[in-house]
Amino acid sequence: MRLVIDFILVSSIVLVLLILLVLVKYKKKNAPQRFLTIIFSVLFFLQFSSYGIFHQIRWLQYVSLFFEGVLLLFGPLIFLYVKSLETTKKVTFKNTLPHFLPYLIYVFVLTIPVLVSAFKKKYIFDYLLFVNEYYYIRDYGELLFVGIYLCFSLTYIYKTTSNLKNLFSIMEYKNIKWLGIFIIGLLTLVVMNMIILSLEIYQGTNLSLDFITVLSFLLFISYLGYFGVNQSQIFIPDYLIKSEFRKDSQLKRVYISQEEILEMDKKISSIFEIQKLFLDDALTLHKLANSLQTSDKKLSFYLNHHLKTNFYDFINKYRVKEFKLILQNQTMTNFSLLGIAFECGFKSKSSFNRIFKKETGLSPSQYKASI
């Protein structure tokens, strides 16, 4: 087992270095890539110090003391990475510093005094004895802290996904589903660690979970590295981020007049019936707004408040309608159901099946059988 753990630790260190090399090669880094670079830099030093502890290398054991409160660093970093995916605002030291104050306080109050105490081989402050005896209070606090930030991250991902449906007709182009799964996985690990800590305290059991810990880290690094490096930045307009735009119906008169609503009704009906613009699988809110000779903001407000829907559902409803029309007229008998779906503007089988069932209550094959 010891050899397996050692192999996983070395693999993690090598993998982190490779991902860092990929991130460093980008000449113009955007905000998400910068946060990823910081995250993987911390991961590298964390894994390197873990290797030192595992092999009892003294100077690396001292280095590892700086990572005692690493969860206070990771929570904000993950949250800021998630947030940076959709914002166009410049990330500065000033607006991110508050998130890292708990970690900085931890370093000055605990890390540095413990490090000095380790060199002098005695505690230089009395409160360190209390912290050492009631270590579980500190550990619970760290786990709770990172758990709160992960919950914030998950909420932000949900809001971003909702906003994306106001901009794109196909979610595959801007898919951040992987990030939601990743955050849920981290939250699960946090809960498991709280349970393990509770068992150690109340039952006095010392659970040796080194293998699970290092394997979890390897999976964590691999998953974030694979998807994170390839994730493109998503720009959400300010008018969608501001909740007032979506909730306050009194603003309707400000953004779009009744005459403009009637005009848009006619234009959309004409452009979809004649040009069938919805067949374009790369159709976006911006493209449709240009075709209607209006602004993105007005079109989005028209869909959200007048039609009580979002851009994603609105366009895909037309695609489902076109799919049903083709089946009923039998105009593409040589095509499979998926082939017809692609011709109607869908991009993947899973999204087509999900959207079709939502609209009709039947799967595509059930609907075909019914006619």
Side-chain angles (χ1 to χ4, degrees):
M1 181 62 72
R2 186 175 177 83
L3 284 173
V4 175
I5 294 173
D6 191 32
F7 174 76
I8 295 174
L9 273 173
V10 173
S11 300
S12 300
I13 293 168
V14 173
L15 182 59
V16 172
L17 277 174
L18 289 173
I19 294 169
L20 278 172
L21 285 173
V22 172
L23 289 168
V24 168
K25 80 173 184 179
Y26 289 107
K27 293 181 180 179
K28 293 183 179 179
K29 295 184 183 68
N30 54 31
Q33 288 171 341
R34 283 194 288 271
F35 278 116
L36 270 185
T37 303
I38 296 170
I39 289 169
F40 280 105
S41 297
V42 174
L43 278 172
F44 171 73
F45 288 109
L46 179 61
Q47 290 298 84
F48 199 60
S49 61
S50 297
Y51 180 84
I53 294 171
F54 187 72
H55 288 280
Q56 297 183 342
I57 302 171
R58 192 168 184 79
W59 68 273
L60 281 176
Q61 288 177 324
Y62 285 124
V63 172
S64 69
L65 291 174
F66 282 100
F67 296 95
E68 284 291 322
V70 75
L71 290 179
L72 302 180
L73 191 60
F74 265 118
L77 281 173
I78 294 295
F79 173 72
L80 290 171
Y81 168 70
V82 171
K83 194 174 179 181
S84 69
L85 284 172
E86 72 163 33
T87 184
T88 56
K89 295 178 181 178
K90 188 177 180 180
V91 179
T92 62
F93 177 77
K94 185 179 179 181
N95 58 30
T96 58
L97 180 60
H99 295 283
F100 300 109
L101 280 177
Y103 178 72
L104 293 174
I105 292 169
Y106 188 99
V107 169
F108 284 105
V109 174
L110 284 176
T111 303
I112 295 175
V114 168
L115 192 61
V116 174
S117 299
F119 276 109
K120 290 192 173 185
K121 297 183 179 179
K122 66 174 183 178
Y123 287 115
I124 59 172
F125 297 112
D126 291 338
Y127 70 84
L128 295 176
L129 290 168
F130 176 83
V131 173
N132 185 55
E133 185 177 355
Y134 297 98
Y135 69 94
Y136 52 86
I137 297 175
R138 176 199 63 199
D139 292 348
Y140 272 128
E142 288 180 34
L143 289 168
L144 185 62
F145 180 84
V146 73
I148 290 170
Y149 263 94
L150 290 175
C151 288
F152 283 152
S153 301
L154 204 58
T155 303
Y156 212 86
I157 290 169
Y158 172 76
K159 288 180 180 178
T160 301
T161 303
S162 299
N163 284 330
L164 288 176
K165 287 188 174 182
N166 283 308
L167 296 173
F168 302 100
S169 63
I170 294 292
M171 297 296 288
E172 283 79 359
Y173 292 123
K174 297 290 182 181
N175 185 19
I176 56 169
K177 186 179 179 181
W178 72 270
L179 197 51
I181 296 170
F182 175 70
I183 300 297
I184 291 170
L186 288 182
L187 274 170
T188 304
L189 285 174
V190 169
V191 172
M192 285 176 60
N193 274 279
M194 293 186 82
I195 293 170
I196 291 166
L197 185 59
S198 300
L199 289 173
E200 289 180 349
I201 294 166
Y202 296 110
Q203 295 186 4
T205 55
N206 186 14
L207 300 174
S208 182
L209 300 172
D210 292 339
F211 175 73
I212 296 175
T213 302
V214 294
L215 184 60
S216 299
F217 257 103
L218 181 60
L219 294 174
F220 166 84
I221 292 165
S222 303
Y223 194 87
L224 182 59
Y226 178 78
F227 287 101
V229 169
N230 296 312
Q231 177 66 56
S232 59
Q233 196 166 14
I234 301 164
F235 297 118
I236 306 293
D238 288 340
Y239 67 82
L240 286 178
I241 295 174
K242 293 176 181 177
S243 59
E244 292 84 6
F245 177 81
R246 295 191 298 270
K247 294 179 181 178
D248 192 353
S249 59
Q250 295 299 320
L251 292 174
K252 185 174 181 180
R253 297 172 190 169
V254 178
Y255 287 105
I256 188 168
S257 65
Q258 189 62 38
E259 290 77 14
E260 286 175 310
I261 288 175
L262 293 173
E263 184 66 22
M264 209 168 287
D265 283 337
K266 292 178 183 177
K267 282 184 176 180
I268 285 180
S269 178
S270 174
I271 207 168
F272 276 14
E273 292 297 328
I274 299 171
Q275 297 183 30
K276 295 191 176 183
L277 204 61
F278 56 85
L279 297 179
D280 178 9
D281 62 10
L283 183 63
T284 63
L285 181 83
H286 183 66
K287 281 186 179 181
L288 181 58
N290 284 342
S291 298
L292 296 170
Q293 297 180 326
T294 187
S295 67
D296 296 14
K297 184 186 289 187
K298 284 187 177 182
L299 177 57
S300 184
F301 204 88
Y302 166 81
L303 294 171
N304 293 160
H305 290 270
H306 180 63
L307 298 184
K308 308 296 182 184
T309 187
N310 56 54
F311 179 73
Y312 178 82
D313 290 337
F314 178 71
I315 299 301
N316 284 307
K317 187 173 288 187
Y318 272 92
R319 289 169 176 164
V320 169
K321 183 179 177 182
E322 182 72 10
F323 178 89
K324 290 161 66 177
L325 192 64
I326 290 171
L327 278 188
Q328 289 167 356
N329 295 338
Q330 296 183 345
T331 54
M332 298 173 70
T333 53
N334 294 330
F335 282 68
S336 64
L337 292 178
L338 187 58
I340 297 172
F342 285 170
E343 290 295 317
C344 293
F346 290 101
K347 191 68 177 176
S348 72
K349 182 179 179 180
S350 58
S351 61
F352 165 60
N353 288 336
R354 184 180 64 254
I355 292 165
F356 191 89
K357 192 160 189 177
K358 180 184 175 183
E359 289 294 324
T360 65
L362 299 170
S363 68
S365 55
Q366 288 173 332
Y367 180 80
K368 183 180 179 182
S370 70
I371 61 172

